[in-house]
Amino acid sequence: MENAGRRDITSQAEETSAVELSHNLTTVTTEIKAYQSIGGQAIFEIGRRLKWVKENDLAHGEYMKWLKESVNMNPTTAQRFVKIASELPNRYSSTDLGWKALYEIATIQRTLSRKTSRRIVLLFYRPGCRYCQQIKRQVNRNEAQVNSSRQKETGVFLKVRTTNPANTRVLDRYQVESTPTFMVIKNGQVLKQYSGTNPAKIDQLMLRGDAK
């Protein structure tokens, strides 16, 4: 019965994806709360409605207040739901992935699909990987530096969880076979790749895009 119910919900989401959304804020609020009760596969519909309310100013300049008081959602989560609905193909709406996994996919795919001269550094990791845990502190320190205002215009750092089923395309595309693996990409081309835990090489690759 549970599987049949999920299929019904997914079919309903697909059928209503092309339907114009209501300009009545109360109606949209009720729809969002209904999708919240369904679970992960409703993330797209929630994000779609959040975007609709914001873009059409249905809350009349009080979007943040409406989020908190009517939808009971913080702005950061709302922004991520909107990004998922905007960036990911509809095929992901039938998955059982949670919003955090979907947000991860949306961020990775959006960044990799853009033609940019900025250096993109990917870290492919696996939860529970002993070697990944070994370099965690160093990676976090370097990540903060890469994402600082001084370097964010020239570099981007993303973590790719290999156990996330929806990352299969990325893993196949770059033929990643072990963790941790670092990869430097620029203008769509892989410039450098390194698998291992050598601190000096990790610093060189993450901070300068080089790993000799």
Side-chain angles (χ1 to χ4, degrees):
M1 292 297 292
E2 183 179 6
N3 289 337
R6 288 183 177 179
R7 283 196 297 271
D8 290 342
I9 292 168
T10 301
S11 298
Q12 182 180 1
E14 291 173 350
E15 291 172 1
T16 59
S17 62
V19 176
E20 185 176 348
L21 299 178
S22 173
H23 283 272
N24 185 300
L25 183 60
T26 301
T27 299
V28 177
T29 302
T30 301
E31 290 174 343
I32 289 175
K33 296 182 77 66
Y35 279 116
Q36 283 177 323
S37 67
I38 294 173
Q41 62 197 39
I43 290 171
F44 288 84
E45 292 301 327
I46 295 174
R48 181 167 170 256
R49 280 160 175 77
L50 291 173
K51 183 179 180 182
W52 178 258
V53 170
K54 189 172 184 180
E55 289 182 348
N56 291 275
D57 194 25
L58 301 189
H60 305 295
E62 297 186 341
Y63 177 73
M64 294 298 183
K65 182 180 179 181
W66 170 76
L67 274 180
K68 181 179 179 181
E69 296 182 357
S70 299
V71 185
N72 192 27
M73 181 179 292
N74 68 64
T76 300
T77 301
Q79 183 179 7
R80 290 175 175 176
F81 274 47
V82 170
K83 183 172 184 178
I84 290 169
S86 302
E87 301 293 337
L88 290 185
N90 288 334
R91 67 175 178 273
Y92 287 107
S93 63
S94 61
T95 70
D96 291 326
L97 297 174
W99 73 264
K100 290 184 178 180
L102 290 172
Y103 179 72
E104 174 187 319
I105 302 164
T107 302
I108 293 169
Q109 292 196 358
R110 181 182 186 185
T111 302
L112 293 178
S113 64
R114 286 181 171 180
K115 293 183 179 179
T116 175
S117 60
R118 289 200 298 173
R119 183 182 74 249
I120 301 171
V121 179
L122 300 179
L123 166 59
F124 295 90
Y125 76 99
R126 177 176 56 82
C129 165
R130 177 165 60 94
Y131 301 108
C132 297
Q133 291 297 320
Q134 182 178 326
I135 63 172
K136 183 176 181 179
R137 183 173 298 180
Q138 180 186 9
V139 167
N140 290 342
R141 182 181 67 247
N142 289 347
E143 179 180 12
Q145 186 171 335
V146 171
N147 292 335
S148 68
S149 58
R150 184 169 61 88
Q151 290 197 12
K152 66 181 180 182
E153 295 301 321
T154 58
V156 178
F157 177 71
L158 295 173
K159 296 175 181 176
V160 183
R161 182 161 52 91
T162 60
T163 54
N164 186 337
N167 283 335
T168 301
R169 282 192 170 189
V170 178
L171 298 175
D172 290 343
R173 176 180 177 181
Y174 296 110
Q175 299 182 341
V176 176
E177 298 180 352
S178 62
T179 57
T181 291
F182 293 85
M183 199 169 289
V184 179
I185 301 170
K186 191 172 184 179
N187 294 321
Q189 301 296 318
V190 177
L191 302 182
K192 297 286 183 179
Q193 181 172 335
Y194 170 69
S195 298
T197 60
N198 184 289
K201 288 187 176 182
I202 292 173
D203 281 346
Q204 289 173 353
L205 190 144
M206 289 189 67
L207 301 178
R208 297 197 298 272
D210 186 22
K212 298 180 179 179

